[in-house]
Amino acid sequence: MSDLTPDLLSHAELLLVPDVTLTPDGPVAGHAVVVRDGVFADAGPAERIVRAYPALTPIRLPHHVLMPGFVDTHHHLTQSFGGSLAFGEPSEIFRRVWVPLEGALDEESAYVAAKLAALESLRGGFTTVAEAGTRAAVDADVLASAARDAGIRCVLGLVCNDTSDGTGPDADPGAVLAAAEKHLARYASDDLVHPSLAVSVPEAATAQTLAATARLAAEAGAVVQIHVNEHLVAVERSLVRHGLRPLEYLRHVGALGPQLLAAHATLLTASEISLLADSGTAVSYNPVASAWKGNAVAPATVFAERGIRFGLGTDGTRGDGFRLADAAEFAQRLTYGLAAGDSSCGAGWTWLDRAAAGGADAAGLGRLTGRIAAGAAADFLLADIGGPEMQPSWDLPWELTRRGNRDQLTAVFVAGRLRLWRGGPVGWDGAALVRRAAELAPRVVRRAGVTRAHPTSVVARERAATQGPAPQRGRDAGTAAAGTRSGRR
């Protein structure tokens, strides 16, 4: 491995021979892949591959697994400046935090925030992110450019809200749908950016717009991203307004179906689970967001048993695919497995599959990415499994799920190109981006006027040491380090 360099992995054509390949049928030793024109031109037994491509020099990868890149099925790229200011806050904080924060972004800060989030995602092994739509007053191409420049694949949502949900004004439905059609056409043939539509929550769009966006997305082979049944207050709001729970209401207006990517879906009745199964609707299961924001935990093991399509999403919490897979299994174990005596909770392979192929399918890219197979996009990871965490190896899917870490990533490829080498971006200056983000973020947060329900942990500790804990709510125009009001959706 001492001879492996980024230059060696940057050739137009590659014949890679790892110790283990994580195929759709599981981990296989003695396999190889050929990468050409952004796709896996071939994949199979190494002996056959090497013999079939004599013009290519095999690159041996001892102690490495070649595996599909992770797919983040729910992200908010322009919320990266909020960071830990969201921690310890009550649920449904988007009204107090994320809407103001995104509203304070200009073109440069939106680009830098999105590219910063994309870099974190690449460092965590994500080769695709589903951006659920920003409320920043910038053209969607700002986010598209950030994704392209970072080198990550992006399912780019355009917000299609046309009625006030308490966070914005009403909009002309005709103009909203015209913009939706333009967005779908604009990125229809883009190499890395795939168009999507988005509605923040069901009550943020009229019934006609919910149905129309579903139709437009289905016709374009795209998805509509909507936060669904995430918080108790959202469920109750829907019951008061429509007499139906959010998922039931989407069925009522004709918005359920394979084109819908329902984010969170943590609070579901048995009949709503059946609605998902019967309609082909996909779900983004976001276990870290459930823990950090105090939400319920989506019944993902039930989803798997019922054949419900679902992937794993970060909700912008932590860009580490291995820790996301671990959290997905761990949340199921604590919430459902212990009570039922289920010691497997889907086993390691379930969570690896949902983190890659299942996520690609949920995000509308199942035919394109998420697997190591001939014809699929060459979106993949080279992970070092030679360290003490993985040796001796007895059950690689479980080991990757529970013990894998982004520090083990030697290389990240998207569309056949090396995008990340040992934690650093290839072809652009990641350190300069981080420095610029550090300059811009405090200005944006101050301008946003975000409201926290709690002080930061540093302030809370100081207060407890001097006068005991005291509840505090309201505005604080101080710096982020001193406890600026912030939160996260």
Side-chain angles (χ1 to χ4, degrees):
M1 286 302 297
S2 59
D3 295 331
L4 188 63
T5 65
D7 288 342
L8 188 62
L9 294 175
S10 297
H11 293 169
E13 292 184 277
L14 297 170
L15 197 168
L16 303 177
V17 188
D19 270 5
V20 181
T21 302
L22 202 60
T23 73
D25 297 321
V28 178
H31 262 46
V33 300
V34 174
V35 177
R36 177 193 298 150
D37 296 329
V39 303
F40 291 114
D42 206 346
E47 184 178 350
R48 176 185 70 79
I49 297 290
V50 171
R51 188 171 58 247
Y53 298 88
L56 296 179
T57 300
I59 300 175
R60 306 284 174 176
L61 302 166
H63 311 301
H64 274 68
V65 58
L66 189 153
M67 58 187 291
F70 296 118
V71 176
D72 185 346
T73 53
H74 187 60
H75 205 318
H76 295 276
L77 295 174
T78 55
Q79 293 179 1
S80 63
F81 286 175
S84 63
L85 291 174
F87 299 168
E89 288 293 291
S91 63
E92 206 179 44
I93 55 179
F94 74 100
R95 298 175 188 275
R96 297 184 288 105
V97 178
W98 299 122
V99 171
L101 180 68
E102 289 181 320
L105 294 169
D106 58 18
E107 188 169 296
E108 183 193 9
S109 55
Y111 173 88
V112 171
K115 193 173 182 180
L116 183 71
L119 175 57
E120 182 188 357
S121 295
L122 285 170
R123 282 169 48 83
F126 291 102
T127 54
T128 299
V129 293
E131 157 58 40
T134 184
R135 297 181 194 240
V138 299
D139 190 278
D141 208 52
V142 172
L143 276 66
S145 297
R148 290 193 206 97
D149 293 347
I152 200 165
R153 194 177 298 281
C154 180
V155 177
L156 179 57
L158 177 74
V159 173
C160 297
N161 300 355
D162 66 348
T163 186
S164 174
D165 60 345
T167 61
D170 291 351
D172 173 38
V176 167
L177 295 177
E181 291 187 81
K182 181 179 178 181
H183 181 76
L184 292 171
R186 184 180 194 179
Y187 300 104
S189 58
D190 197 283
D191 289 338
L192 288 182
V193 179
H194 308 273
S196 164
L197 304 180
V199 175
S200 300
V201 288
E203 60 263 33
T206 60
Q208 293 79 6
T209 294
L210 288 169
T213 52
R215 174 181 55 78
L216 289 173
E219 291 173 352
V223 297
V224 181
Q225 303 179 57
I226 307 179
H227 297 83
V228 176
N229 291 52
E230 180 183 4
H231 305 293
L232 182 59
V233 65
V235 173
E236 293 176 342
R237 204 164 42 233
S238 181
L239 284 168
V240 170
R241 182 175 299 186
H242 304 296
L244 297 167
R245 294 164 64 88
L247 200 63
E248 294 172 333
Y249 179 66
L250 291 176
R251 189 270 304 269
H252 175 70
V253 301
L256 283 191
Q259 82 291 332
L260 176 60
L261 174 53
H264 299 287
T266 60
L267 298 167
L268 297 174
T269 64
S271 64
E272 286 175 308
I273 291 174
S274 293
L275 284 180
L276 292 174
D278 295 343
S279 65
T281 296
V283 173
S284 177
Y285 165 42
N286 310 319
V288 180
S290 289
W292 287 12
K293 296 196 292 181
N295 295 354
V297 175
T301 48
V302 176
F303 293 166
E305 179 66 24
R306 293 291 303 272
I308 293 169
R309 302 162 53 232
F310 74 94
L312 308 184
T314 65
D315 197 19
T317 52
R318 180 173 61 210
D320 189 325
F322 289 109
R323 293 187 71 184
L324 180 63
D326 181 31
E329 187 270 338
F330 193 51
Q332 293 302 298
R333 181 173 299 275
L334 289 181
T335 307
Y336 305 107
L338 293 180
D342 180 2
S343 59
S344 174
C345 285
W349 64 266
T350 295
W351 308 110
L352 288 183
D353 177 72
R354 298 300 174 166
D361 173 58
L365 302 181
R367 294 184 179 181
L368 177 67
T369 189
R371 65 194 189 283
I372 309 299
D379 301 343
F380 65 96
L381 315 175
L382 297 179
D384 188 342
I385 54 174
E389 297 83 2
M390 296 290 188
Q391 297 297 327
S393 177
W394 305 107
D395 190 335
L396 187 59
W398 262 124
E399 290 153 8
L400 289 171
T401 298
R402 285 197 167 170
R403 308 196 73 173
N405 190 285
R406 66 182 176 189
D407 290 347
Q408 295 170 240
L409 293 176
T410 298
V412 176
F413 287 77
V414 180
R417 287 183 52 191
L418 179 65
R419 309 290 183 166
L420 198 85
W421 171 257
R422 299 194 185 281
V426 175
W428 57 278
D429 191 340
L433 174 74
V434 173
R435 288 193 299 271
R436 186 57 179 153
E439 293 170 354
L440 291 174
R443 304 176 200 170
V444 170
V445 171
R446 282 194 294 268
R447 193 161 60 235
V450 181
T451 302
R452 282 177 57 96
H454 301 296
T456 64
S457 58
V458 173
V459 173
R461 181 175 181 175
E462 292 172 349
R463 182 175 297 146
T466 58
Q467 62 186 34
Q472 176 179 333
R473 181 182 178 85
R475 293 181 170 266
D476 172 1
T479 65
T484 304
R485 310 165 325 280
S486 300
R488 176 180 287 272
R489 182 185 203 353

